[in-house]
Amino acid sequence: MTATKHDAYARPPDSLRLLFKDWQKKSPEALSSDIDIIHTDSLSKDDRVSESDLSNDDLYRARMACQDFLSYGNPIYELQPPRCFEFKSLPGGQHLSFDWLS
Amino acid sequence: MVGLFIFPSLFPVEIQVALLDKLLHRDLSNSDHKTNLHLHYHMPVMSTPEGKNMSFFNLQQSLSILPKDPNIHRPISATQVLEKKLRWLTLGGQYDWTEKVYPEGAQPAFPRDVADLLQGFFPSIDPQAAILNFYSPGDTLSLHRDVSEECDRGLISLSIGCEALFLIANSNGTESATIRLRSGDVLLMSGESRYAWHAVPKVLPGTCPETLHSWPAADTNTGYEQWRDWLSNKRINLNVRQMRDDISHQVADFVEL
């Protein structure tokens, strides 16, 4: 799978740079009530994302990876089953081109 | 497929602490892994009596780190490094920020235990390179796209510590989303979102979970008491990528701390 070619030196659109500055200037108080922000602790109530199912194999593999990483093999009782949310519409980039030729 | 996935609180606190221990005590002091400071400073490499690299958090806070060119930079202390000056660390493939490419040839090994952990969750991605970003409130990350990799595999982004706003948008800026990322959240940029514009416009002070506040100090004596509460006002972001599809890369064997 070769990569889609992108210009590493491209500049972001002006509209995005303004948006960045807007977010940068907002106070914590303003942020706490801003409805445009997607909060990762309430995704199940956000209609901009949809929940994807994770298979039992995914969950088992994730649990084993965590246990191995901690190296002592004890079950992680607090590991809640992972949940996965996907954006319905994207911030999408350019269409992927798997047959890009140089 | 849109391809932008959020896994809220994917990594429990124990995993976050273990990652911090490995990345910041072990991997940060491995001189093969360059930071934003290595170009301009003689970064110390000190060993324990057992011959292991000493964690930066074991250095004397007043230790003076000398510049390579004293006409341009002044000495800085270990405190200044860890409080503010340290902004990024590269693991595995040592990204060249000037040329915006990954160098050819053998690269430092990517830490095996971190690679295995991530592949347990994302088996289709081979962790070959990572950038570990260090943020304090007031720090930002400008809009950019990660386009230097030579394959289209997804990019994994993990947050630890303080919360932050993450802005992501399409190529012409007509659609965007702003996500408030919390400690333990993982973002996967794949598919159409792999090359999206993204940025961190804000890190939110006072939002580090209490369970992580005291890192690297702990209730038991860890020898890091002088740095108690270092993480309380920090955000650490690990973003991991696969550089190429067809390389036989080295993965470092797990090294006990």
Side-chain angles (χ1 to χ4, degrees):
Chain A
M1 186 196 298
T2 53
T4 311
K5 194 74 172 165
H6 291 270
D7 179 1
Y9 294 93
R11 287 169 62 82
D14 286 342
S15 58
L16 274 186
R17 288 196 275 149
L18 288 172
L19 185 58
F20 176 94
K21 288 193 160 88
D22 281 346
W23 284 117
Q24 191 182 5
K25 286 185 220 155
K26 287 200 184 214
S27 68
E29 295 73 29
L31 291 176
S32 64
S33 56
D34 194 311
I35 59 170
D36 287 335
I37 294 175
I38 295 169
H39 290 271
T40 60
D41 59 354
S42 55
L43 289 169
S44 55
K45 298 178 198 154
D46 197 314
D47 60 10
R48 291 168 286 189
V49 297
S50 60
E51 187 160 6
S52 301
D53 288 329
L54 295 171
S55 69
N56 286 335
D57 281 349
D58 287 334
L59 298 177
Y60 177 78
R61 205 179 46 243
R63 180 175 287 272
M64 288 298 111
C66 284
Q67 288 180 195
D68 288 346
F69 189 68
L70 294 177
S71 295
Y72 45 72
N74 292 326
I76 301 171
Y77 295 110
E78 291 167 27
L79 178 63
Q80 299 299 316
R83 299 179 75 177
C84 174
F85 296 84
E86 181 178 8
F87 274 82
K88 290 176 187 173
S89 68
L90 181 160
Q94 297 170 5
H95 179 70
L96 276 181
S97 175
F98 291 98
D99 60 352
W100 169 67
L101 298 170
S102 60
Chain B
M1 178 181 83
V2 175
L4 180 64
F5 294 90
I6 303 177
F7 298 81
S9 302
L10 184 63
F11 289 142
V13 167
E14 298 93 328
I15 296 290
Q16 294 178 55
V17 170
L19 272 168
L20 289 170
D21 287 344
K22 291 170 197 293
L23 294 169
L24 298 190
H25 289 318
R26 180 191 67 192
D27 298 329
L28 175 58
S29 60
N30 177 347
S31 56
D32 287 341
H33 295 143
K34 301 304 179 198
T35 69
N36 58 300
L37 297 170
H38 280 82
L39 189 59
H40 301 299
Y41 290 91
H42 297 289
M43 298 303 287
V45 179
M46 297 165 71
S47 300
T48 65
E50 295 78 27
K52 293 182 190 165
N53 284 345
M54 188 183 283
S55 168
F56 266 74
F57 289 87
N58 282 131
L59 298 176
Q60 279 209 329
Q61 290 185 321
S62 58
L63 177 74
S64 188
I65 296 165
L66 299 177
K68 291 186 177 174
D69 186 343
N71 293 320
I72 301 177
H73 298 103
R74 286 192 247 175
I76 53 177
S77 67
T79 297
Q80 284 177 297
V81 168
L82 289 171
E83 291 285 343
K84 193 68 181 165
K85 299 267 184 202
L86 178 63
R87 294 305 313 274
W88 52 258
L89 165 72
T90 43
L91 300 174
Q94 296 294 292
Y95 184 62
D96 183 328
W97 296 81
T98 306
E99 301 299 324
K100 298 187 188 295
V101 293
Y102 291 94
E104 295 292 333
Q107 292 294 295
F110 195 95
R112 178 194 286 277
D113 45 5
V114 178
D116 287 349
L117 173 70
L118 293 169
Q119 279 201 294
F121 286 87
F122 305 105
S124 67
I125 299 169
D126 180 12
Q128 296 170 356
I131 301 171
L132 191 67
N133 290 116
F134 298 79
Y135 296 87
S136 301
D139 291 339
T140 61
L141 182 65
S142 307
L143 280 159
H144 66 284
R145 298 186 298 190
D146 289 293
V147 299
S148 300
E149 292 72 29
E150 293 171 24
C151 63
D152 282 326
R153 303 287 172 164
L155 189 153
I156 304 164
S157 177
L158 160 68
S159 299
I160 300 179
C162 287
E163 297 170 15
L165 295 185
F166 179 80
L167 170 64
I168 184 165
N170 63 354
S171 55
N172 59 14
T174 53
E175 289 184 50
S176 69
T178 302
I179 309 167
R180 182 162 169 159
L181 292 172
R182 290 168 167 76
S183 200
D185 289 347
V186 171
L187 212 60
L188 175 68
M189 291 169 63
S190 68
E192 292 176 26
S193 74
R194 172 63 178 81
Y195 301 109
W197 291 105
H198 56 282
V200 177
K202 207 160 184 81
V203 174
L204 300 159
T207 56
C208 178
E210 274 212 39
T211 43
L212 292 174
H213 262 207
S214 63
W215 195 93
D219 291 337
T220 55
N221 179 20
T222 57
Y224 302 118
E225 197 56 34
Q226 61 179 348
W227 290 106
R228 178 168 285 276
D229 294 343
W230 177 82
L231 191 67
S232 64
N233 230 17
K234 285 276 184 209
R235 174 182 186 247
I236 309 297
N237 168 247
L238 176 68
N239 56 86
V240 180
R241 60 283 305 286
Q242 180 171 340
M243 297 183 290
R244 303 178 180 109
D245 268 324
D246 298 322
I247 64 171
S248 57
H249 62 284
Q250 288 182 301
V251 179
D253 285 328
F254 171 71
V255 174
E256 194 70 52
L257 283 177

